[in-house]
Amino acid sequence: MKIFSTFSGIGGFELGIIQAFWEENVEIIGYSEIDKFSSAVLAYRFPRVKNYGDIKMIDIDELPDFDVLVGGSPCQDLSISKNNREGLMGKKSGLFFEYVKILRMKKPAFFVLENVASMNNDNRDFISETLGVEPIKINSALLTAQSRNRYYRTNIPGIQQPKDLG
C-alpha cells in the first residue's frame, strides 16, 4: 500500500498506518510539510522519503502514484477556538482545496481526511459533499489521555468508532 501524506506534522498518520498494516505492507512515497521542526522529525523517521514541501507548490503531475491520500488541513480557521473564524475561506484552512486537487487529479483508491469537530455546520457539510462521505466523529480520549474531538472522513470500507480503551 503506497501512501502520500499532506499536512504531515510529525508523521502520526503514517505511524498509525504502519502499525495497523505492518511496515512491510506500507510504503510512504512522499509527504507535504512546511514546518521546519516537523520536517526534521519526518526526515528522521522516513529518511528515504521525499518532502514535497508547500502543498500549494506541488506539481501534482509529477507525484508518483499512490493508493491512499491522508491528511488534515490546518484547523485554525475552522476551530471554535478562533474568534471571527473564516472557515474554508481562511488562508490556512482553505488549504483543504489543495488536498482535494491532489485527490481529484491522482485518484487514489482511498483517502482519509481529519479535522476539528468544532467547525460550523456549513463547513462540515461542504467538506462532506465535496468528498462524498459523511464524517465519523472520534474523540481521541477513547484511545489516549488527550480529549480532542475530530471528524474523520474516509472512503475505506468498514471504518467505525473505536472502542473506549479507558
Side-chain angles (χ1 to χ4, degrees):
M1 173 172 36
K2 294 180 179 181
I3 312 292
F4 185 75
S5 173
T6 60
F7 318 106
S8 304
I10 60 169
F13 261 129
E14 296 82 353
L15 294 177
I17 291 169
I18 287 168
Q19 288 179 349
F21 295 101
W22 304 100
E23 189 167 2
E24 60 270 10
N25 298 324
V26 176
E27 179 185 0
I28 310 300
I29 62 99
Y31 55 87
S32 170
E33 179 54 56
I34 61 170
D35 180 81
K36 68 179 181 177
F37 298 110
S38 295
S39 295
V41 172
L42 288 165
Y44 174 79
R45 287 185 168 162
F46 309 109
R48 292 179 290 283
V49 178
K50 181 177 179 178
N51 182 354
Y52 286 83
D54 188 340
I55 194 167
K56 296 179 300 213
M57 305 305 290
I58 294 175
D59 183 347
I60 299 169
D61 291 326
E62 298 207 4
L63 285 177
D65 290 336
F66 51 89
D67 306 303
V68 185
L69 176 64
V70 299
S73 58
C75 68
Q76 290 91 330
D77 301 312
L78 293 168
S79 174
I80 198 168
S81 298
K82 182 178 181 183
N83 292 331
N84 303 319
R85 54 189 166 158
E86 300 172 72
L88 292 173
M89 296 302 109
K91 185 176 181 179
K92 292 184 178 188
S93 295
L95 292 172
F96 160 76
F97 296 104
E98 299 297 328
Y99 175 95
V100 171
K101 196 183 317 181
I102 293 171
L103 183 63
R104 289 184 175 160
M105 288 181 69
K106 294 303 289 184
K107 297 180 177 28
F110 302 107
F111 67 86
V112 179
L113 179 75
E114 171 272 336
N115 217 305
V116 294
S118 65
M119 67 180 68
N120 69 35
N121 292 344
D122 289 340
N123 285 298
R124 182 200 62 213
D125 295 345
F126 180 85
I127 293 170
S128 294
E129 184 178 314
T130 300
L131 297 178
V133 296
E134 290 299 316
I136 301 167
K137 185 177 177 183
I138 300 174
N139 187 336
S140 59
L142 295 172
L143 306 167
T144 71
Q146 187 176 38
S147 181
R148 292 175 57 133
N149 280 307
R150 294 289 184 269
Y151 284 139
Y152 291 86
R153 290 174 176 81
T154 185
N155 65 340
I156 299 172
I159 302 296
Q160 55 190 326
Q161 187 72 237
K163 292 184 175 138
D164 188 347
L165 298 180

